[in-house]
Amino acid sequence: MKIKFDNILGDKEDQQLSKGIISVVAEVDSSKSNILDIEISEDNEIPILPLRTMMLFPGIVLPVNIGRKSSLKLLKDAVKIDGFIGVFSQIDDNIETPDPSQIYKTGVIGKVIKILELPDGSRTALLQGFCRAILLNGYDNGDYIVGHVQKQPEQTPSSKDKEFNALVEACRDIAEKYLKMGDTSGFESLFNLKHLPNKTILINYICANLPIDNVERITLLEANNLADRARALLEILNREYQFATLKANIQMRTHEELSKQQREFFLQQEIKNIQEELGESITTDFDKINQQAQTKKWNDDIKELFNKELTKLKRMSPSTPDYQNQRDYIETMLALPWNEKSRDNINLSAAEKQLNHDHYGMEKVKERILEHLAVVKMRGDFKSPIICLYGPPGVGKTSLGQSIAKAMKRKYVRVSLGGLHDESEIRGHRRTYIGAMPGRIIKSIQKAGTSNPIFILDEIDKIGQMSHNGDPSSALLEVLDPEQNTTFHDNYLDCDYDLSNVMFIATANNIGTIPPPLLDRMELIEVSGYLTEEKIEIAKRHLIPSQLEKLGMQNTGIKISKPAIEKIIEDYTRESGVRELDKKINKFLRKLTLQYALDGKLPDHDLNKKDVVSILGPELYNRDKYQGNDYAGVVTGLAWTSVGGEILFIETSLSKGKQQKLTLTGNLGDVMKESAVLALEYIKAHADDFDIDSRIFDNYNIHIHVPEGAVPKDGPSAGITIATSIASALTQRRVRKNIAMTGEITLRGKVLPVGGIKEKILAAKRAGITDIMLSHENEKDILQIPEKYVKGVEFHYVHDVKEVLNFALLNEKVPHSIEFTFDENKEKENDK
């Protein structure tokens, strides 16, 4: 391996050394594992040079200032014999004369290129690193430390290693960015980074020159693999670059803030001088503050704190940076509505009328609000509840808060918690920080102007997780606990604020992502999706009038018929709420607005289904319809999805085979597969009860399929549907017409309750189903649905699978039923 130095000891050498920069150009043979292939025996003693606050790396030229007499003697002796020296770093830089036990064991074998005497009388030695080494033992010979060292091999990745090449280039880029953020003295180092072609030299060059702690530098040197060293170096470079960026940003913000404060101070002084020249009588700021403080309803502790902070402000000079921070704090205290409440509307009839006017349905929520008002009316005062409305998107959870505020005659504020990841957003910053401010809770109370507003905590299920900025969900525990929020502590205020009069209403789509301690503090109210009939009413009462007003068409006499609205709902939207419906109505009316603006004409009739298709185009969604009962093994089930209910067809077919094989297809999840296995085992165990020849299981394979294989399907609610499908296929009995079913089964045949009943009923009615079978424990869910929405559907409540099969399967065979045949030879073998 060869190495050469270009102009390293030229005429401008002293100028370069004064800046502490040395340029290195190296040609490295990539076939070698070490930087330089040197010959040195472990039996030979070499001088050991201890360094402070720096470390030499293989292949790097490093200028070292010589201050110790022992070091100078060592270097001069090494120059005379042109021999190798061991370069190691001290563990404690404060020790003037270290012994071998006070230096790190990992170092570098190097040589002294030259010793230079600088104009100021100091001496600098140029050291060249060759390869890594470990100090085996050492002692002081009277002049300096000598000892035995052992060379350490170093693995260098191949030049074709893409990951290593990317690591090196990443180190080069970050190092260049880091140097550009410093002063101009790093120009030569930046030049070297750009023009060092060898990857080994580049990594070692950055390690030797990066201004980091010597402990980290030794850790980098100890890496046996150059790729590991590059990876560790990249982490350090990223950390140093981010720290430098943060430092620069803080300095910039501080400078801008000081400039702004100075400008405002001089302008205020000018205004004072002008007013005094004009002879105007002015009231000082402190007089105004005192007048405002007299109107506040704070208790003795808060009043004492405020007077203390105001006294501190009076003692400050307006020209100091802390003056504005203290002034902002005083203004925040004055702006908060301490114990100031708006009077609730205790007229329950008016409140109920307001809630019914603004929102259709949502009976549970309306009932809960009226209960709270009734308690307030009876007691005169009551701690406000913490309510969490959860349900699918677009059902009106957020807008419901505005209706509640109107009904109770309270102020309304809303905070979106989606993506919030900083605890200080809830609790505020301490005033020791630059740009400190109260948290969102206190700022919203300040905005409301009363201590008892309706406070909407929107998207509480999407709050960020714990990070280095704290845990915002834990900060909400104090806010949403009626036993604790009487003394809510904001870091900025640094005193307690009573939130017990605030009515907090949280909204969420999925309560499964809310931390259990937070969920435990809230009263959960489900806001389920709307039935088609409910959506039609919402469109007629709210969506269409609102869109007509937005488009300026409210006086044109446009009317949309009920079948047209139903057409938009059924064929152009698929959702639990009405957000997409609102968009489609807007699109529908926009087209009519364009037509009216062009020729001043509108349809002379109520808009119908044909108008919907001609304006909105072909249907976007096709709803499944009941397919009849002419095939054995085809049964209709009911499923719940995030956009509402759907009907689900379970198909079972039999094929000749000797493997007793069960095949499941249709993109089924694990739970649904288990339901199929359970259903088959139950039918096998009770084959005699259903007149099924047990030989079928030995001679026929069973295939269960759920259509629409591109759609993932899972859950236990198809259990009785699968059991009925298998039984129908094995007996070739016809399934009762217009029947659908839902329910989970056990191995004993018991039918268990399932969820999403309201949405499933909607899907059944839409498909023309007249009979629905479900667990007797789901009867309570049916009773909660208004009777007009279940009209036309008969419910059959069952306890076990036998009841399901006895009702669902008729005593007649399907057309073209299968005639089962069996292998006589196999039966004889089984008998033997």
Side-chain angles (χ1 to χ4, degrees), residues 10 136 163 210 231 262 298 315 421 554 640 661 712:
L136 299 177
E163 182 180 357
L210 188 66
R231 195 173 289 106
Q262 291 171 355
W298 42 40
R315 293 174 181 173
H421 61 276
Q554 64 268 34
W640 180 91
K661 183 179 178 183

Side-chain angles (χ1 to χ4, degrees), residues 127-146:
L127 304 181
Q128 166 66 38
F130 280 32
C131 66
R132 297 185 318 121
I134 291 180
L135 179 61
L136 299 177
N137 56 65
Y139 63 93
D140 194 334
N141 66 358
D143 295 322
Y144 44 78
I145 299 173
V146 295

